[in-house]
Amino acid sequence: MTPTPYLQTVIQAADFLSKRLMAKFPEKPRLALILGSGLGEFADSLTERIAVPFSAVPHFPQSSVTGHSGNVVLGRIGSVWVLCLQGRVHYYEGHDIRAVTFPVRVLGILGIRRLIVTNASGGINPRFRPGDLMLIRDHISLFYPNPLIGSNEASVGPRFPDMSAAYSEPLRQVARHCARRLKFSLKEGVYVSVTGPSYESPAEIRMLKRLGADAVGMSTVPEVIVARHMGMECLGISNITNPAAGISKRPLSHAEVLEAGERVKPRLMALLAATCEQVSELD
Ligand code: HPA
């Protein structure tokens, strides 16, 4: 069957990256990371790195948010080849949901089998503090369109993919183990994604808490749905940058989110590096 027009554009972008990045390297990466707000530096720390701006890749959506620079970066962390999306695009920027998840489709076509997704989020669980890192155990995504709506790309995944173990327990075990070795603990919980860009109202946060959410953010879930559709194993790590609206009396600001992201960055970068190395030993 010929690929749908959407899948054809994904394949064109993957071919382009394959020529620009992968052809130059001895090994094909099987692990990819999506680096959220303020975390782009992780990709800068890779050795033998080679970067391609999102703007150079055919059909790639362009990010417009401060703190999301927008490069595809291939390089090595320790002995492991990884592919990083340095920055992402969000639904609230006005992209449709299939554009938001386009880069993940490209990762799938490039042969990525495991995906680590990071984000900044507001803590709903009263036990969470700014600077905590939360492993995503599960997600709630009811507030914007599912990225799989439309004709199904049957060649890449099923019409009705299972989401009962969207966040891999074996990958979470690796992350817990690495955090223990680095001498800090991880929180764990349910991440709810909302469209933004306005932060939530206190009443919305009370509602989300009753629905079972521990942290709230504006990304990740569409990416994980698409990654699971293509059979990738996923790990999600949320950087709790602020108490969600109404949990503290202070108003929320993007500057505060970026600043808190800066503070936790060394720990999160160390956790990502250790996790990438350990994950590669799972095979
Ligand atoms: N709400 C939504 N998204 C966020 C938040 C928040 O409180 N903090 C960081 N990203």
Side-chain angles (χ1 to χ4, degrees), residues 78-95:
S79 59
V80 187
W81 289 103
V82 292
L83 196 55
C84 293
L85 297 180
Q86 189 180 36
R88 54 155 64 90
V89 297
H90 300 82
Y91 189 59
Y92 61 72
E93 292 173 70
H95 301 284

Side-chain angles (χ1 to χ4, degrees), residues 205-227:
I205 292 298
R206 288 194 298 276
M207 174 192 79
L208 294 171
K209 186 173 180 204
R210 287 194 182 164
L211 292 180
D214 295 294
V216 57
M218 304 175 192
S219 66
T220 301
V221 172
E223 296 157 350
V224 167
I225 291 174
V226 164

Side-chain angles (χ1 to χ4, degrees), residues 120-122 199-200 216-218 241-242 244 252 257:
S121 65
Y199 288 115
E200 305 68 43
V216 57
M218 304 175 192
T241 49
N242 56 282
L252 303 188
V257 168

Side-chain angles (χ1 to χ4, degrees), residues 177-245:
H177 170 80
C178 292
R180 266 199 305 277
R181 254 187 21 210
L182 293 163
K183 304 206 181 328
F184 60 86
S185 63
L186 293 171
K187 300 286 194 283
E188 206 149 327
V190 174
Y191 174 90
V192 59
S193 68
V194 292
T195 67
S198 53
Y199 288 115
E200 305 68 43
S201 68
E204 286 164 351
I205 292 298
R206 288 194 298 276
M207 174 192 79
L208 294 171
K209 186 173 180 204
R210 287 194 182 164
L211 292 180
D214 295 294
V216 57
M218 304 175 192
S219 66
T220 301
V221 172
E223 296 157 350
V224 167
I225 291 174
V226 164
R228 293 299 299 146
H229 180 242
M230 297 180 95
M232 289 179 238
E233 203 181 349
C234 298
L235 177 69
I237 306 174
S238 268
N239 171 8
I240 309 288
T241 49
N242 56 282

Side-chain angles (χ1 to χ4, degrees), residues 9-282:
T9 60
V10 172
I11 292 168
Q12 282 163 12
D15 284 348
F16 174 87
L17 283 171
S18 198
K19 287 195 194 92
R20 283 284 293 272
L21 296 175
M22 322 273 254
K24 301 197 170 80
F25 288 86
E27 244 179 83
K28 248 186 142 187
R30 295 292 176 203
L31 176 63
L33 295 95
I34 302 180
L35 303 167
S37 295
L39 267 178
E41 214 173 283
F42 180 80
D44 296 332
S45 74
L46 300 179
T47 54
E48 297 178 61
R49 66 190 286 283
I50 166 164
V52 176
F54 284 179
S55 57
V57 186
H59 314 295
F60 242 60
Q62 307 302 314
S63 166
S64 61
V65 189
T66 320
H68 292 262
S69 51
N71 292 295
V72 185
V73 183
L74 177 64
R76 254 182 33 200
I77 185 88
S79 59
V80 187
W81 289 103
V82 292
L83 196 55
C84 293
L85 297 180
Q86 189 180 36
R88 54 155 64 90
V89 297
H90 300 82
Y91 189 59
Y92 61 72
E93 292 173 70
H95 301 284
D96 83 38
I97 199 71
R98 301 230 285 185
V100 170
T101 51
F102 183 91
V104 179
R105 287 275 179 223
V106 173
L107 295 179
I109 297 295
L110 286 172
I112 294 298
R113 302 314 308 147
R114 294 196 174 110
L115 182 66
I116 301 179
V117 189
T118 63
N119 61 45
S121 65
I124 298 179
N125 186 319
R127 286 194 292 275
F128 291 0
R129 299 281 169 267
D132 281 346
L133 293 174
M134 182 190 90
L135 287 183
I136 303 178
R137 187 190 326 118
D138 202 351
H139 70 219
I140 297 173
S141 172
L142 302 170
F143 302 110
Y144 49 100
N146 190 296
L148 306 182
I149 290 173
S151 59
N152 184 48
E153 311 288 358
S155 61
V156 296
R159 172 75 289 187
F160 301 107
D162 178 44
M163 290 290 143
S164 55
Y167 300 84
S168 153
E169 175 54 27
L171 294 190
R172 275 186 282 146
Q173 266 174 24
V174 169
R176 282 185 213 113
H177 170 80
C178 292
R180 266 199 305 277
R181 254 187 21 210
L182 293 163
K183 304 206 181 328
F184 60 86
S185 63
L186 293 171
K187 300 286 194 283
E188 206 149 327
V190 174
Y191 174 90
V192 59
S193 68
V194 292
T195 67
S198 53
Y199 288 115
E200 305 68 43
S201 68
E204 286 164 351
I205 292 298
R206 288 194 298 276
M207 174 192 79
L208 294 171
K209 186 173 180 204
R210 287 194 182 164
L211 292 180
D214 295 294
V216 57
M218 304 175 192
S219 66
T220 301
V221 172
E223 296 157 350
V224 167
I225 291 174
V226 164
R228 293 299 299 146
H229 180 242
M230 297 180 95
M232 289 179 238
E233 203 181 349
C234 298
L235 177 69
I237 306 174
S238 268
N239 171 8
I240 309 288
T241 49
N242 56 282
I247 303 238
S248 111
K249 296 284 165 274
R250 274 165 17 101
L252 303 188
S253 78
H254 185 54
E256 182 189 0
V257 168
L258 291 178
E259 189 190 297
E262 280 298 309
R263 267 184 276 125
V264 81
K265 200 154 68 181
R267 240 184 325 143
L268 184 43
M269 297 224 328
L271 178 66
L272 290 177
T275 303
C276 288
E277 292 237 45
Q278 288 270 309
V279 160
S280 69
E281 285 166 22
L282 285 179

